[in-house]
């Protein structure tokens, strides 16, 4: 392993093509050495756009490449756990796009393979690396808003507006649906803010008859100290926002998941209100949170250090998603 982590990317999904791969290429700790796709021509176009040297026409070839230290997996949700397991068997460190699996059972099996092979695994929750998220956690831990009693977290992007039946998010066999795609974020936020796991869950999924997947969902999670209301949709443009209500004040994060990248419009913003309704705005310059995530991952692997988001964290998140899909904890 050299001074930079050598990455391979399994699949040519847009999130990797436009966000994660360029973030790695611009990183001080990593470089993208290879890209694999079942459509080799597509992979070659991808490689040419961001300067990747090696192109493979199937996923197994990239895992057999001894020059690859780590892989990033942005495949459809239904393939995440399978290729986490295969990558672990090949001895590669793994950054997997969220959600880690389509069920807690799948996630637990994949994590077990990683543990047996002594392979590092992290789920790609990029928002956790943004300075505004770190500041939210700091304010909560400082006790400024007292004890957390409520969390409201929502994420929606209206992909139903121009519904394409080929979109993997509309295909149940590929792990589609708003709960897995959007809900993994809102559930993660609720758990982060409470700093614990919910004890009960009640959820509603609105399933579309045409596609057979949930287009929107809503759930209530009961924690030891309070309640979280989480929701998400493919039919609205609420983007990602959350609010934390404490015994002595509140925190609002209106651009909590995708606040903006580099020169794009949109900065981080955290609004803190005390119990007398005094309001303080804290603004954060646009940063590339994907680069912060991949830098942190790469440096941890290079330094043989611990990763900030553990596999156990991912398994806990999947258990809550399972509970929401059932409408309750088993």
């Amino acid at each position: 392993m050299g001074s930079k982590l050598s990455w391979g990317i399994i699949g040519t999904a847009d999130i990797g093509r436009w966000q994660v791969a360029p973030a790695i290429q611009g990183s001080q700790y990593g470089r993208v050495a290879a890209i694999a796709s079942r459509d080799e021509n597509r992979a070659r176009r991808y490689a040419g756009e961001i300067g990747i040297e090696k192109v493979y026409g199937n996923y197994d070839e990239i895992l057999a490449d001894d020059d690859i230290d780590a892989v990033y997996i942005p495949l459809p949700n239904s393939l995440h756990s399978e290729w986490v397991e295969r990558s672990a068997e090949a001895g590669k460190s793994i950054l997997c796009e969220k959600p880690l699996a389509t069920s807690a059972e799948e996630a637990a099996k994949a994590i077990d393979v990683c543990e047996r092979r002594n392979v590092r695994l992290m789920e790609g929750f990029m928002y956790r690396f943004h300075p505004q998220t770190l500041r939210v956690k700091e304010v909560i831990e400082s006790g400024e808003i007292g004890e957390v009693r409520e969390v409201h977290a929502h994420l929606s992007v209206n992909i139903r507006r121009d519904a394409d039946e080929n979109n993997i998010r509309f295909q149940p066999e590929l792990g589609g649906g708003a709960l897995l795609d959007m809900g993994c974020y809102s559930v993660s936020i609720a758990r982060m803010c409470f700093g614990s796991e919910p004890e009960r869950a009640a959820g509603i999924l609105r399933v579309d008859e045409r596609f057979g997947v949930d287009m929107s969902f809503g759930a209530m999670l009961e924690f030891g100290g309070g309640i979280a209301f989480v929701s998400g949709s493919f039919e609205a443009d609420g983007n990602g926002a959350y609010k934390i209500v404490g015994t002595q004040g509140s925190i609002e994060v209106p651009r909590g998941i995708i606040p903006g990248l580099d020169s794009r419009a949109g900065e981080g913003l955290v609004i803190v209100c005390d119990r007398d309704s005094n309001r303080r705005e804290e603004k954060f310059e646009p940063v590339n949170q994907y680069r912060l995530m991949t830098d942190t991952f790469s440096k941890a692997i290079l330094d043989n250090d611990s990763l900030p988001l553990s596999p156990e964290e991912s398994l806990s998140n999947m258990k809550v998603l399972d509970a929401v899909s059932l409408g309750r904890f088993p």
Side-chain angles (χ1 to χ4, degrees):
M1 198 177 297
S3 59
K4 284 192 172 188
L5 197 71
S6 180
W7 287 78
I9 298 181
I10 299 178
T12 55
D14 286 346
I15 185 65
R17 186 175 188 175
W18 303 119
Q19 304 294 1
V20 179
I24 296 170
Q25 290 294 63
S27 165
Q28 59 179 313
Y29 300 110
R31 67 182 183 90
V32 181
I35 174 74
S37 174
R38 291 169 178 169
D39 182 341
E40 189 169 342
N41 289 330
R42 181 177 171 85
R44 290 195 181 282
R45 291 193 298 273
Y46 185 134
E49 289 170 358
I50 60 173
I52 302 173
E53 295 178 4
K54 296 180 183 178
V55 174
Y56 292 112
N58 66 70
Y59 305 149
D60 289 311
E61 288 181 351
I62 205 169
L63 296 181
D65 187 336
D66 292 335
D67 293 331
I68 300 299
D69 304 315
V71 294
Y72 165 60
I73 302 173
L75 296 169
N77 296 340
S78 62
L79 298 177
H80 287 181
S81 61
E82 174 187 350
W83 286 96
V84 164
E85 292 179 31
R86 292 196 184 195
S87 299
E89 294 289 1
K92 311 298 185 187
S93 299
I94 305 160
L95 175 65
C96 182
E97 192 54 57
K98 55 77 198 169
L100 184 61
T102 58
S103 69
E105 182 180 4
E106 278 186 8
K109 184 170 179 289
I111 289 168
D112 181 66
V113 175
C114 290
E115 290 176 347
R116 285 193 288 102
R117 297 292 295 173
N118 196 28
V119 160
R120 307 286 198 84
L121 167 66
M122 190 175 85
E123 191 174 13
F125 279 117
M126 76 295 181
Y127 85 94
R128 293 289 291 268
F129 297 86
H130 197 287
Q132 75 172 0
T133 308
L134 302 180
R135 178 58 179 153
V136 167
K137 292 178 68 178
E138 184 178 61
V139 173
I140 292 172
E141 291 166 3
S142 74
E144 182 176 353
I145 66 165
E147 297 293 322
V148 175
R149 290 289 180 257
E150 286 187 20
V151 173
H152 300 250
H154 173 84
L155 175 61
S156 61
V157 179
N158 193 348
I159 61 174
R160 180 63 183 270
R161 184 184 293 113
D162 300 305
D164 176 1
E165 62 184 16
N166 294 316
N167 190 323
I168 61 172
R169 292 171 178 83
F170 295 153
Q171 299 181 41
E173 67 276 12
L174 295 180
L179 177 62
L180 285 176
D181 197 76
M182 304 282 173
C184 61
Y185 284 111
S186 52
V187 166
S188 172
I189 288 167
R191 293 175 50 256
M192 176 190 74
C193 294
F194 274 104
S196 63
E197 302 303 328
E199 299 169 356
R200 289 196 296 169
I204 297 173
L205 277 66
R206 204 181 74 78
V207 177
D208 181 88
E209 293 183 0
R210 174 184 172 190
F211 296 109
V213 300
D214 53 294
M215 287 292 177
S216 60
F217 76 93
M220 182 170 63
L221 311 176
E222 182 183 2
F223 291 80
I227 294 174
F229 302 89
V230 298
S231 60
S233 176
F234 288 157
E235 302 177 291
D237 273 322
N239 294 312
Y242 60 100
K243 182 175 182 178
I244 307 147
V245 182
T247 54
Q248 298 184 52
S250 64
I251 304 171
E252 293 181 46
V253 192
R255 296 184 286 273
I257 298 172
I258 309 174
L261 300 173
D262 293 337
S263 60
R264 291 186 183 182
E267 61 189 353
L269 177 64
V270 172
I271 304 168
V272 182
C273 294
D274 66 17
R275 60 186 178 182
D276 297 319
S277 298
N278 295 308
R279 188 174 187 269
R280 181 181 78 246
E281 290 190 359
E282 299 183 14
K283 296 182 179 180
F284 300 82
E285 291 297 318
V287 296
N288 189 324
Q289 56 190 351
Y290 293 96
R291 186 173 298 171
L292 294 174
M293 175 180 69
T294 56
D295 265 354
T296 302
F297 181 94
S298 296
K299 190 173 187 303
I301 301 302
L302 291 169
D303 295 345
N304 195 29
D305 203 354
S306 60
L307 292 166
L309 297 179
S310 69
E312 290 72 28
E313 161 78 14
S314 298
L315 180 57
S316 294
N317 215 57
M318 285 304 314
K319 287 179 178 178
V320 180
L321 292 171
D322 277 2
V324 172
S325 69
L326 291 170
R328 56 176 175 71
F329 274 113

